[in-house]
Structure formats: structure tokens, C-alpha cells
């Protein structure tokens, strides 16, 4: 039965009323010069309007970059520990408002509350980590080859950082990028995903409350073509940091090349869980369930492939399928729900397309397999959590990123074969092994060519103080988070101080 307007209001009580949100440029909330806005709706309930957002254009982007460029020098010259104090205050605001922000994020993006709380927590963790980094930003000191000479290398900021962010971690990823950029002394312009602008607006509100100087942090909402592309060509943007699809990442890489802009790309994944014959099978099933269907499979680290030793294969498939069928799908604001909607109708189409491809390739659906469209699902973008068994490593469902609640189970005869299957894709983000055999664990730890590796845990669960990113077509050699994250937003300057009072020639000029 269709819900009445009153029922809906009650359901969304305590959440923000729909209104028009502005861009955040130079410390002020301003409308786009286009005069246009776009709507943002709840992926679990298309009748729930979250708000309207500025449909910005290149002029708005230029205004934000000018503000960020103007703010750069004073911000660069603000002592790093003081910059860190601003970030700490942002962390405090996010911590205070964690529940409210998480609820808005579930409404905007769909994943269940426990996961959006985690998303905000990642932003808080990163704020605190980078606040502390303000008192480190370690460089290098070394002996000199000459007497009375001092050598060091220090980090310097780049200038204005352009950040292009996705919808699946709508606060965590913008926070990861912006906190690292800001602590190094850069200023920031963010273009959030058009599907999740509110989450980044809420982050901007936290920065505003923390008293960040005007122009240091700016947000311009709008389309990838209209706002994102002009960022890539803007001469005053020194570094672009992007998370999203490999296709768009490739375009960004090409567009940034003529100006030799620094570019950090964080893209797709086809991550694998390897289950060995000696594994704790129930633990592996727990991990696979969470890894495959957390965020409805819409994580770049999602466990979209599972390879299981033939001795335990049938038992594993049976257990995982039974648990998967019990998952409750629905609105992520409902505490009884395990898995929320997908982000959009087009994402559901992609999932349906791959389910058909999998069937046509000869794989067998052992759980789920269909979009959910009736009753409580009628107004949202829902799909059953879906498992394919009998998958061969070269099938498209085992090679291509689906970004939905679908995982593919394959068989292997040894850890070596599992590793070969694991490495046999174009991506290299995350992988994991379930085993009680330390030799197998170390072998896989050494030979899996992924940026992240887990033992007896699923492919998801990164912590902010370790580097995050992947090899091959997942990335372009950079990492975010941890100290590696500040490498993206700083450049090295080697400094030689000669206090001998005489001209000393370096060894290369004397021997
Ligand atoms: P996209 O790569 O299209 O979008 C990511 C960000 O880039 C968004 O802010 C988007 O803006 C922006 N963008 C899009 N086109 C351009 C462009 N030409 N120049 C500059 N910026 C641009 O990802 P989608 O959100 O459309 O998702 C598509 C697929 O990407 C998913 O199915 C998944 O495979 C992958 N993905 C991977 C993620 C990861 O974490 N690795 C995260 C999200 C997606 P706008 O939103 O306005 O289009």
C-alpha cells in the first residue's frame, strides 16, 4: 500500500526539511551564476526530496579557484600546528553531530546507518590524524659530504587542490582528501558527486563552524562535465585528486597532462577473498557476507570475487547462500535492515545487465538474482544480494567491476592457484585470505599484487593511518590516507646550508 505524506513525514522526522543549498565559496553560501538548481532524492524513496543544489558552471568554479588562490599564501604561512588545530575542531564538530550527519547521509546515499556512522567516523579519524600531522610533517635531515654544511629536505604545499569525489563514501573521501591537502598548506575546491552533494555541504558547515579562514575550503556542486572538467584545465589548480570510475580517471589523467598537473587517481576494484581448505569456514562466511554486501556492494574494496578450495567449496557456498537469503533489504534508516538500496536506477540497470551476462556465461545463481520493485521497494532502487557459483575466472562477471550486490564464487586446488586467479584481473585494490596456515598467509601476503591485503578478514575495513589505494588500473601509483596521503599534496624541497664561510664545491665537482 502506498504510504501517505504523513507517514513519510513521520519516517523522516528529525531530518532536514528540503530546501535550496548553495555553493560555499570564499566563506559565503552563494548561488550559481547559472541560476539553475538540481534535485537530490533519497535512493530508497524517490518521493523524499532531500533538497535542491546549485547546478554550477565554469564561472562558479573560477570564482572558487580565485578565492582558494587568494587564500593560499596566508594559509601556507599559517604554522602547520595551527592549521592542525582547525582540523581538530572540525573533527570535534563532526563527532558532536555524528548521528545527525549519519542519518542525513543514509537518506542521501542509502547505506545502512551503521555504515554511515562509520563513514562519518572515518572523517573524524582523518581530522584527528591530520591535526596531529600538523606537528610532524616530517622531512629529512642527512649528513653532508662536506664539512660545515647542513642538509635537509622539507615538504612544501602545491597551491590550490581540486578534489573530485564519488557518492559511495560521501563524507569520508572528501575528508580524506581535504584534510591531507589542508594540513600541508594547500587550499581546496571540492566538486562532490551530483548524487551526494549534501554530505559535502555538511562537511563545509563543519569547516565553517570551526572558523576556517575564508577561501581555504570551497565547495562547488554540479556536473562532472560542467564543473569537473573546467577544474582539469584551470591553470591555478596545481593538483587534482579524484576517486571514481576508471573510465573518468583515464579522461582526467589525459586532460591534466598538458599542464603537468599533479594527479592522484583512486579508481575501480575487483577484489577477492581466498578461502583455503584449512580456513575457519564460519569466519570466512561472515567475512564474505560483509565484504560482498556491505554498502550493497558499492565499495571500491567490495569482495566481488571469492575463490574457495574445492575441498570446502560446496559447504562454503551452501552456508554463504543460506546467510545471504536471510539478509533484510530496505531503507537504511530502518534499524532492522541489513542492506540498503543501490544509489540510482542506472546502477540497478548495470547490476541487472551483469546478472544476465553471468547467466548467459553459464554461471549459476545460488542466491538472489533479481531487482526488487514491489511493495516497500517500489519507490527505490533495490536489488537482492546475489551470488553466482560455478564461475570461471575469465568470465566477465569475474573480471569487470559491477558495483552492486553481486559476488562470484570460483574454485581452486591450491593457494598458488587462488593467487593466480586473484591477480588475474586488471585491477589491484584489495584482497584477502582465510587460512589457519601461516605459510599460506605469508605466501599470499607476498604474492598478491594489491595495494591492500587482509588475513582472516574481508577485503573491506581500511584504517586511516595506513596508505589506501591500489595497483594496476586501480590507481596511478599514489596513495591516500596515512603519511602516503600527504605525499599527494606536497612537494619536496632539498635545502643545503653551507656555514663554512668559503665556497665549497660538492663532491661531483671536485673528483
Ligand atoms: P564517476 O567516475 O562518473 O564519478 C566520480 C566523480 O567524477 C563524480 O564527482 C563525477 O561527477 C565526476 N566526473 C564525472 N565525469 C567527469 C569528467 N568528465 N570530468 C571531471 N569529473 C567528472 O563515477 P559514477 O559516480 O558515475 O559511478 C560510475 C562507476 O564508477 C561505478 O559504477 C563504479 O564502478 C565506479 N566508482 C568507483 C568508486 C571507487 O570508490 N573506486 C566510487 C564511485 C564510483 P558527477 O557526479 O556530477 O557525474
Amino acid at each position: 500500500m502506498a504510504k501517505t505524506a504523513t507517514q513519510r513525514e513521520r519516517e523522516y522526522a528529525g531530518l532536514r526539511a528540503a530546501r535550496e543549498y548553495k555553493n560555499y565559496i570564499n566563506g559565503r553560501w552563494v548561488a550559481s551564476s547559472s541560476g539553475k538548481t538540481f534535485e537530490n532524492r533519497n535512493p530508497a524513496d524517490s518521493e523524499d526530496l532531500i533538497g535542491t543544489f546549485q547546478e554550477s558552471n565554469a564561472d562558479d568554479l573560477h570564482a572558487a579557484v580565485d578565492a582558494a588562490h587568494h587564500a593560499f599564501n596566508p594559509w601556507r604561512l599559517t604554522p602547520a600546528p595551527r592549521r592542525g588545530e582547525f582540523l581538530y575542531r572540525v573533527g570535534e564538530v563532526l563527532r558532536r553531530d555524528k548521528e545527525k550527519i549519519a542519518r542525513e547521509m543514509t537518506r542521501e546515499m542509502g547505506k545502512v546507518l551503521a555504515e554511515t556512522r562509520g563513514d562519518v567516523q572515518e572523517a573524524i579519524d582523518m581530522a584527528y590524524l591530520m591535526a596531529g600531522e600538523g606537528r610532524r610533517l616530517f622531512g629529512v635531515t642527512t649528513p653532508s659530504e662536506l664539512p660545515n654544511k647542513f642538509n635537509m629536505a622539507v615538504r612544501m604545499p602545491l597551491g590550490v587542490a581540486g578534489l573530485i569525489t564519488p557518492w559511495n563514501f560521501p563524507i569520508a573521501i572528501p575528508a580524506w582528501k581535504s584534510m591531507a591537502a589542508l594540513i600541508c598548506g594547500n587550499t581546496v575546491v571540492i566538486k562532490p558527486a551530483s548524487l551526494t552533494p549534501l554530505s559535502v555541504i555538511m562537511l563545509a558547515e563543519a569547516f565553517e563552524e570551526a572558523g576556517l579562514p575564508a577561501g581555504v575550503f570551497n565547495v562547488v556542486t554540479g556536473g562532472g562535465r560542467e564543473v569537473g572538467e573546467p577544474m582539469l584545465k584551470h591553470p591555478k589548480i596545481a593538483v587534482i585528486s579524484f576517486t571514481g570510475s576508471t573510465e573518468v580517471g583515464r579522461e582526467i589523467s589525459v586532460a591534466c597532462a598538458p599542464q603537468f598537473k599533479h594527479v592522484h587517481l583512486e579508481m575501480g576494484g575487483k577484489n577477492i577473498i581466498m578461502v583455503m581448505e584449512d580456513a575457519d569456514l564460519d569466519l570466512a562466511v561472515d567475512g564474505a557476507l560483509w565484504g560482498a554486501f556491505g554498502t550493497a556492494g558499492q565499495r571500491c574494496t567490495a569482495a566481488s570475487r571469492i575463490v574457495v578450495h574445492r575441498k570446502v567449496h560446496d559447504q562454503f557456498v551452501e552456508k554463504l547462500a543460506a546467510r545471504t537469503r536471510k539478509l533484510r533489504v530496505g531503507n537504511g534508516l530502518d534499524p532492522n535492515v541489513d542492506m540498503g538500496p543501490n544509489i540510482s536506477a542506472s546502477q540497478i540497470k548495470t547490476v541487472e545487465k551483469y546478472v544476465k551476462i553471468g547467466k548467459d556465461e553459464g554461471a549459476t545463481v545460488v542466491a538472489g538474482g533479481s531487482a526488487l520493485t514491489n511493495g516497500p521497494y517500489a519507490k527505490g532502487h533495490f536489488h537482492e544480494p546475489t551470488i553466482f557459483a560455478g564461475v570461471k575466472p575469465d568470465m566477465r562477471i569475474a573480471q569487470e567491476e559491477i558495483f552492486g550486490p553481486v559476488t562470484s564464487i570460483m574454485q581452486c586446488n591450491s593457494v598458488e592457484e587462488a593467487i593466480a586467479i586473484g591477480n588475474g584481473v586488471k585491477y589491484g585494490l584489495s584482497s584477502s585470505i582465510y587460512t589457519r596456515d601461516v605459510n599460506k598467509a605469508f605466501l599470499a601476503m607476498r604474492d598478491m599484487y594489491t595495494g591492500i591485503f587482509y588475513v582472516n578478514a574481508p577485503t573491506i575495513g581500511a584504517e586511516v593511518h595506513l596508505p589506501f589505494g591500489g595497483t594496476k588500473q586501480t590507481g596511478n601509483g599514489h596513495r591516500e590516507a596515512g603519511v602516503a596521503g600527504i605525499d599527494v599534496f606536497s612537494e619536496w624541497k632539498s635545502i643545503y646550508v653551507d656555514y663554512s664561510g668559503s665556497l665549497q664545491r660538492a663532491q661531483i665537482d671536485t673528483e
Side-chain angles (χ1 to χ4, degrees), residues 360-376:
D360 292 348
E361 285 178 313
T364 312
V365 174
V366 292
S370 303
L372 294 161
T373 51
N374 296 323

Side-chain angles (χ1 to χ4, degrees), residues 34-58:
S34 74
K36 294 186 200 158
T37 57
F38 64 92
E39 284 189 348
N40 181 17
R41 288 179 182 271
N42 182 338
D45 178 1
S46 59
E47 285 183 8
D48 177 31
L49 177 67
I50 291 162
T52 58
F53 294 82
Q54 301 304 308
E55 195 176 314
S56 309
N57 54 28

Side-chain angles (χ1 to χ4, degrees), residues 164-168 173 191-195 222-225 228-229 232 242-248 251-252 266-269 299-300 347 401-403:
I164 302 177
T165 57
W167 45 263
N168 59 342
I173 292 176
K191 190 217 94 62
S194 295
L195 292 161
R225 297 272 169 223
E229 277 187 16
L232 314 175
F242 163 84
T243 301
S245 62
T246 299
E247 295 68 37
V248 172
E251 281 183 42
I252 287 179
E266 210 43 77
M267 300 169 289
R299 291 191 185 204
C300 48
Q347 202 70 33
E401 188 176 49
I402 301 173
F403 229 62

Side-chain angles (χ1 to χ4, degrees), residues 351-371 383-384 386-391 395 397 406:
V351 173
E352 287 183 304
K353 180 185 89 180
Y354 275 103
V355 170
K356 180 169 183 323
I357 288 171
K359 287 179 184 165
D360 292 348
E361 285 178 313
T364 312
V365 174
V366 292
S370 303
H383 196 282
E384 290 178 315
T386 298
I387 304 175
F388 275 109
V391 177
M395 287 180 178
I397 53 168
V406 182

Side-chain angles (χ1 to χ4, degrees), residues 394-410:
D394 59 352
M395 287 180 178
R396 286 185 64 190
I397 53 168
Q399 289 287 327
E400 298 172 19
E401 188 176 49
I402 301 173
F403 229 62
V406 182
T407 194
S408 295
I409 305 182
M410 297 165 279

Side-chain angles (χ1 to χ4, degrees), residues 438-480:
V438 70
N439 296 354
K440 290 194 186 96
F442 267 86
L443 193 77
M445 209 186 296
R446 185 192 65 194
D447 291 344
M448 280 308 299
Y449 188 53
T450 52
I452 305 168
F453 184 74
Y454 296 89
V455 178
N456 291 330
T459 52
I460 62 180
E463 299 178 30
V464 298
H465 51 295
L466 268 76
F468 181 96
T471 62
K472 300 191 272 186
Q473 291 192 25
T474 293
N476 63 340
H478 297 285
R479 293 290 184 270
E480 59 192 338

Side-chain angles (χ1 to χ4, degrees), residues 166-185:
W167 45 263
N168 59 342
F169 281 86
I171 272 206
I173 292 176
W176 281 24
K177 292 183 191 301
S178 59
M179 305 281 177
L182 293 173
I183 200 61
C184 292

